[in-house]
Coordinates of all heavy atoms in Angstrom, one line a residue:
G352 N -36.3 -8.9 38.8 CA -36.7 -8.2 39.9 C -37.8 -9.0 40.7 O -38.4 -8.4 41.6
Y353 N -38.1 -10.2 40.3 CA -39.0 -10.9 41.0 C -38.5 -12.0 42.0 O -37.5 -12.6 41.6 CB -40.0 -11.7 40.0 CG -40.9 -10.9 39.3 CD1 -40.5 -10.8 37.8 CD2 -41.8 -10.0 39.6 CE1 -41.3 -9.9 36.9 CE2 -42.5 -9.2 38.7 CZ -42.3 -9.1 37.5 OH -43.0 -8.2 36.6
D354 N -39.0 -12.1 43.1 CA -38.5 -13.0 44.1 C -39.1 -14.4 43.9 O -39.9 -14.9 44.5 CB -38.8 -12.5 45.5 CG -38.1 -13.5 46.6 OD1 -37.1 -14.1 46.2 OD2 -38.5 -13.3 47.8
L355 N -38.5 -15.2 42.9 CA -39.0 -16.5 42.4 C -38.2 -17.4 43.1 O -37.0 -17.4 43.3 CB -38.9 -16.6 41.0 CG -39.8 -15.6 40.0 CD1 -39.5 -15.8 38.6 CD2 -41.2 -15.8 40.3
P356 N -38.8 -18.6 43.5 CA -38.1 -19.7 44.2 C -37.3 -20.4 43.1 O -37.6 -20.4 42.0 CB -39.2 -20.7 44.6 CG -40.4 -20.3 43.9 CD -40.4 -18.8 43.6
E357 N -36.1 -20.8 43.5 CA -35.1 -21.5 42.7 C -35.7 -22.6 41.9 O -35.5 -22.7 40.7 CB -34.0 -22.0 43.5 CG -32.8 -22.7 42.6 CD -31.7 -23.1 43.5 OE1 -31.7 -22.9 44.7 OE2 -30.8 -23.8 42.9
R358 N -36.6 -23.4 42.5 CA -37.2 -24.6 41.8 C -38.1 -24.2 40.8 O -38.0 -24.7 39.5 CB -38.1 -25.3 42.9 CG -38.7 -26.7 42.2 CD -39.5 -27.4 43.2 NE -40.2 -28.6 42.7 CZ -39.5 -29.7 42.4 NH1 -38.3 -30.0 42.8 NH2 -40.2 -30.7 41.8
A359 N -38.8 -23.1 40.9 CA -39.7 -22.4 39.8 C -39.0 -22.1 38.7 O -39.2 -22.2 37.4 CB -40.5 -21.3 40.4
I360 N -37.7 -21.4 39.0 CA -37.0 -20.9 37.9 C -36.4 -22.0 37.0 O -36.4 -22.0 35.7 CB -35.8 -20.0 38.4 CG1 -36.4 -18.8 39.1 CG2 -34.7 -19.6 37.4 CD1 -35.3 -17.9 39.8
K361 N -35.9 -23.0 37.7 CA -35.3 -24.2 37.0 C -36.4 -25.0 36.2 O -36.1 -25.3 35.1 CB -34.6 -25.2 38.1 CG -33.5 -24.7 38.7 CD -32.9 -25.8 39.7 CE -31.6 -25.3 40.4 NZ -30.5 -25.1 39.4
E362 N -37.5 -25.0 36.7 CA -38.6 -25.7 35.9 C -38.9 -24.9 34.7 O -39.2 -25.4 33.6 CB -39.8 -25.9 36.8 CG -39.7 -27.0 37.9 CD -40.9 -27.0 38.8 OE1 -41.8 -26.2 38.7 OE2 -41.0 -28.0 39.6
Q363 N -38.9 -23.6 34.9 CA -39.2 -22.6 33.7 C -38.2 -22.8 32.6 O -38.4 -22.9 31.4 CB -39.2 -21.1 34.1 CG -39.6 -20.1 33.1 CD -41.1 -19.9 33.2 OE1 -41.9 -20.7 32.6 NE2 -41.5 -18.8 33.8
V364 N -36.9 -22.8 33.1 CA -35.8 -23.0 32.1 C -35.8 -24.4 31.4 O -35.7 -24.6 30.2 CB -34.4 -22.8 32.8 CG1 -33.3 -23.2 31.8 CG2 -34.2 -21.4 33.3
A365 N -36.0 -25.3 32.2 CA -36.1 -27.0 31.7 C -37.2 -27.0 30.6 O -37.2 -27.7 29.7 CB -36.2 -27.8 32.8
S366 N -38.3 -26.4 31.0 CA -39.5 -26.5 30.1 C -39.3 -25.6 28.7 O -39.9 -26.0 27.8 CB -40.8 -26.0 30.9 OG -41.9 -25.9 30.1
A367 N -38.6 -24.5 28.8 CA -38.5 -23.7 27.7 C -37.4 -24.0 26.7 O -37.7 -23.9 25.4 CB -38.4 -22.2 28.2
I368 N -36.3 -24.4 27.1 CA -35.2 -24.7 26.3 C -35.1 -26.1 26.0 O -34.9 -27.0 26.9 CB -33.9 -24.2 27.0 CG1 -33.9 -22.7 27.4 CG2 -32.7 -24.4 26.0 CD1 -34.2 -21.8 26.2
Q369 N -35.1 -26.5 24.7 CA -35.1 -27.9 24.3 C -33.6 -28.3 23.8 O -33.2 -29.3 24.0 CB -36.0 -28.3 23.2 CG -37.4 -28.6 23.6 CD -38.4 -27.1 23.7 OE1 -38.3 -26.5 22.7 NE2 -39.1 -27.0 24.6
V370 N -33.0 -27.3 23.3 CA -31.7 -27.6 22.6 C -30.6 -26.5 23.1 O -31.1 -25.2 23.0 CB -31.7 -27.6 21.0 CG1 -30.4 -27.9 20.5 CG2 -32.7 -28.7 20.7
V371 N -29.4 -26.8 23.5 CA -28.3 -25.8 23.7 C -27.2 -26.3 22.9 O -26.7 -27.4 22.9 CB -27.9 -25.8 25.2 CG1 -26.9 -24.9 25.5 CG2 -29.2 -25.6 26.2
L372 N -26.7 -25.3 22.0 CA -25.6 -25.5 21.2 C -24.4 -24.8 21.8 O -24.4 -23.6 22.0 CB -25.9 -25.0 19.8 CG -27.1 -25.6 19.1 CD1 -27.3 -24.9 17.8 CD2 -27.0 -27.0 19.1
Q373 N -23.3 -25.5 22.1 CA -22.2 -25.0 22.8 C -21.1 -24.7 21.7 O -20.7 -25.7 21.0 CB -21.6 -25.8 24.0 CG -20.4 -25.2 24.6 CD -20.7 -23.9 25.3 OE1 -21.9 -23.8 25.9 NE2 -19.9 -23.0 25.4
L374 N -20.6 -23.5 21.6 CA -19.5 -23.2 20.5 C -18.2 -22.8 21.3 O -18.2 -22.3 22.4 CB -19.9 -22.0 19.7 CG -21.3 -22.1 19.1 CD1 -21.4 -20.9 18.1 CD2 -21.5 -23.4 18.1
A375 N -17.1 -23.1 20.6 CA -15.8 -22.7 21.2 C -14.9 -22.6 20.0 O -14.9 -23.2 19.0 CB -15.3 -24.0 22.1
R376 N -13.9 -21.7 20.3 CA -12.8 -21.5 19.3 C -11.6 -22.5 19.6 O -11.4 -22.8 20.7 CB -12.1 -20.1 19.5 CG -13.1 -19.0 19.3 CD -12.5 -17.7 19.3 NE -11.5 -17.3 18.2 CZ -11.2 -16.2 17.7 NH1 -11.6 -15.1 18.3 NH2 -10.3 -16.1 16.8
L377 N -11.2 -23.1 18.6 CA -10.3 -24.2 18.8 C -8.8 -23.7 18.6 O -7.9 -24.5 18.4 CB -10.5 -25.4 17.8 CG -11.9 -25.9 18.0 CD1 -12.0 -27.1 17.0 CD2 -12.2 -26.5 19.4
S378 N -8.6 -22.4 18.8 CA -7.3 -21.9 18.7 C -6.7 -21.6 20.1 O -5.8 -20.9 20.3 CB -7.3 -20.5 17.9 OG -8.2 -19.6 18.5
T379 N -7.3 -22.2 21.0 CA -6.8 -22.1 22.4 C -5.4 -22.6 22.6 O -5.0 -23.7 22.1 CB -7.8 -22.8 23.4 OG1 -9.1 -22.4 23.2 CG2 -7.3 -22.5 24.8

Side-chain angles (χ1 to χ4, degrees):
Y353 297 108
D354 188 16
L355 299 173
E357 182 180 355
R358 182 180 178 84
I360 296 174
K361 289 183 179 296
E362 289 178 352
Q363 187 89 284
V364 172
S366 176
I368 306 295
Q369 281 93 43
V370 180
V371 180
L372 305 178
Q373 182 65 37
L374 308 185
R376 297 185 68 156
L377 299 183
S378 58
T379 304

